[in-house]
Structure formats: C-alpha cells, structure tokens
Amino acid sequence: MATGAGQTGGNAEERDWEEGGDDILKTVGRQIKLWRERAGLTQAELGQRIGYSEEQVSSVERGRRAPKPEFLDAADEAVGAGGMLAAFKVDVERARYPKQVRDLAKLEADSVAISAYCNHNIQGLLQTREYAEALYRMRRPLLNDETIERYVGARMARQEIFQRWPAPILSFVQEEVTLTRPLGGRAVLRGQLERLLEMGQLRNVEIQVMPTDREDHAGMGGEIRLLEPRNGPTVGHVEALSYARLITERTEIRTLQAQYGIIRAQALTPRESLAFIEKVLGET
C-alpha cells in the first residue's frame, strides 16, 4: 500500500507543520503566560525586558508563533522560571519542523540501513546548511524566511544520524550532474563537494557517482529511498515534483530494492566515486 505524504510547497507546508506542532506550542505558550502572570508582568512589560514586542509575546502565548531559543532563555530569566521555560527549547524546535519531515526523521532514526538514489540535487542527509538553504530559496512559489529557516533546521537535525551508534549503513548514489550544478553559487558547491568527500571517508557511508555517459540506466524513473527499520519491514520513499509518498507494499518494495541494486552496479565504485568528486572539486 502506498500512502501520500502530500505537497511540500507553499501553504501545504504551513498546514503540514501545524499538524501535531500546534499542541506543543500552545502548551509552551500557556506556561509562559502562567510564569509571566506569576511574576506580575504584562505582555508589554515582558516584551520590553526581553527585546520583543507585545504582539510577539501575545502570539507566542497563544501558540501562534514558535518562540526561538533566545526568547525562551530571556523569558525564563525575566520571570524567574529557574530553567523551566528554557527546558522547552528542544520540544519547540521539533514542533517547528513540518509533520512530513518529523515523520521522515523518525523513520531514519529507527533505521539500521538507508539507501538513496538522487538525480537532481545532493541528497538531503549529505547537504551542507548553505546548500540546503539555497535549495529552499529557489522554491516556487517562494517561501518566506521563517519557513526556510524551519525547513533548513529540520534538514540539518536529520543529520544527527551520522553521530548514532551503532552506526547505520548508509548508501548514496548521486547523478554526476548533481556534482557540477552550481546551486547557490560556486562557493556553495565547493563547500558541498568538500562535505561529500568528508562523509565518504566514514566507514558506514558509501557514496557512488552515476556517470552521465551511461547508455543503460536503471534510475530513469526518478529518485528512490529505502529505509530498513530496526524492527519491521523495509519501506520505500519516492518523490516527484512537490509530492512524496511512502511505500509499504511488499511487491513494490522488492522492485525498488532490485532497481537500487542495479543502479549501484551501474555507478562508479565508492573508491572511484571519491576520486571523481575530488577531480570535480579541483575544477570548480
């Protein structure tokens, strides 16, 4: 059975983020209000003490705005909460991520192996912050700065998987064009290529390059991602345009696994790929 993850652009992103995140923000907002009132401060007075407007404080207390870490730290000190408000920083940060991203991050965090083929940009788990931000800034329709900040933060948070132990087995196949397309500019691309070389040295990570001159290519159907949970069957994740879907049907999973195996066989070996990336970096 395949389940749709929905659109990942425009207003759909806002709705996707709000689903599930609202409750956390409302809980935090109520706590801020209780501590503010206990300290005998109005919203305007609290705002003045911590460098925010009355309207911003009001929006946070109503759960309509996600407070930034510095807001929580300053409010905690201003009302004498003794760390009770500052402790919400991790929960609020996660609540700011879109539901689709939270669900994907949960799948990745529970996986012992992840395989991904990417054909138009560098795979999300391998992206630098600058590269990820450039991708979101070129989205159409345009995203506002707050949404871009949320999405980049969510993408970077997913990369905590590289610090996990036991380390998951991670396999990536990148189209050659993704290594030469200067998204965000030459400096951003150089930083991204350096990042690939760094990650490719990890014992649990294999990065392969699919050369453009291949006459036979099993990945013409688009991007593929396979995730093998610690307890449970392998699931697939595919994307096209601004849509993504999760695949759980066994027949489809077997097809994706066979397809990815062929893609890996057609690509350069990991050793050849790192040498290729190093060559591209030298020419960039």
Side-chain angles (χ1 to χ4, degrees):
M1 180 174 117
T3 57
Q7 272 189 310
T8 58
N11 292 332
E13 288 180 329
E14 297 294 334
R15 293 192 297 269
D16 192 32
W17 163 61
E18 289 168 357
E19 185 178 344
D22 269 355
D23 291 341
I24 294 174
L25 296 186
K26 287 177 180 177
T27 297
V28 174
R30 283 194 295 269
Q31 287 298 312
I32 294 172
K33 181 179 179 181
L34 287 171
W35 280 100
R36 174 180 60 77
E37 291 177 340
R38 181 177 180 180
L41 299 174
T42 65
Q43 291 178 340
E45 289 170 337
L46 175 60
Q48 187 174 16
R49 290 194 182 189
I50 65 177
Y52 287 83
S53 69
E54 180 180 0
E55 187 278 328
Q56 288 174 314
V57 174
S58 175
S59 292
V60 168
E61 289 188 351
R62 287 182 291 160
R64 296 175 60 86
R65 178 192 293 266
K68 293 184 177 181
E70 51 267 32
F71 181 105
L72 291 170
D73 285 335
D76 189 286
E77 184 176 351
V79 302
M84 297 294 289
L85 296 181
F88 282 116
K89 286 188 287 188
V90 174
D91 295 321
V92 170
E93 188 63 20
R94 288 175 179 166
R96 295 175 75 232
Y97 301 159
K99 182 177 183 299
Q100 177 186 340
V101 176
R102 295 198 303 270
D103 290 346
L104 180 57
K106 184 177 179 181
L107 276 173
E108 289 173 342
D110 191 45
S111 295
V112 296
I114 298 175
S115 305
Y117 162 66
C118 216
N119 61 6
H120 63 280
N121 55 252
I122 302 299
Q123 213 280 332
L125 289 176
L126 297 172
Q127 290 174 11
T128 63
R129 175 174 291 274
E130 294 77 12
Y131 188 94
E133 182 174 343
L135 287 177
Y136 284 119
R137 288 200 177 281
M138 64 184 69
R139 282 279 189 93
R140 300 295 187 274
L142 297 174
L143 304 178
N144 60 43
D145 288 343
E146 185 179 348
T147 299
I148 292 172
E149 181 185 346
R150 281 206 313 272
Y151 270 65
V152 172
R155 183 157 293 180
M156 294 301 101
R158 286 170 48 210
Q159 295 181 7
E160 292 175 0
I161 192 172
F162 292 107
Q163 277 72 56
R164 265 180 42 200
W165 190 262
I169 301 302
L170 305 173
S171 168
F172 304 95
V173 179
Q174 291 285 157
E175 280 292 331
E176 177 183 340
V177 67
T178 66
L179 308 178
T180 57
R181 182 174 287 144
L183 302 178
R186 294 286 173 185
V188 171
L189 178 59
R190 284 188 60 83
Q192 181 60 69
L193 294 173
E194 290 168 354
R195 169 74 169 172
L196 292 179
L197 291 173
E198 176 188 347
M199 303 310 292
Q201 298 299 325
L202 299 178
R203 289 185 298 157
N204 64 313
V205 177
E206 288 192 339
I207 299 175
Q208 294 180 252
V209 175
M210 175 67 82
T212 302
D213 63 4
R214 289 294 191 255
E215 294 183 1
D216 188 13
H217 192 331
M220 289 291 96
E223 296 193 349
I224 299 172
R225 190 177 309 167
L226 290 162
L227 304 100
E228 300 178 35
R230 186 176 294 101
N231 299 301
T234 298
V235 298
H237 186 269
V238 296
E239 297 180 9
L241 297 177
S242 58
Y243 293 87
R245 70 181 177 123
L246 192 67
I247 297 174
T248 58
E249 207 283 320
R250 293 299 91 200
T251 300
E252 289 189 74
I253 292 297
R254 285 194 292 270
T255 298
L256 289 179
Q257 289 172 323
Q259 189 176 354
Y260 188 74
I262 297 172
I263 290 172
R264 289 199 67 185
Q266 293 171 335
L268 299 177
T269 67
R271 184 182 295 272
E272 292 170 339
S273 296
L274 291 182
F276 186 90
I277 295 170
E278 195 165 4
K279 176 175 178 293
V280 173
L281 175 60
E283 297 171 349
T284 300

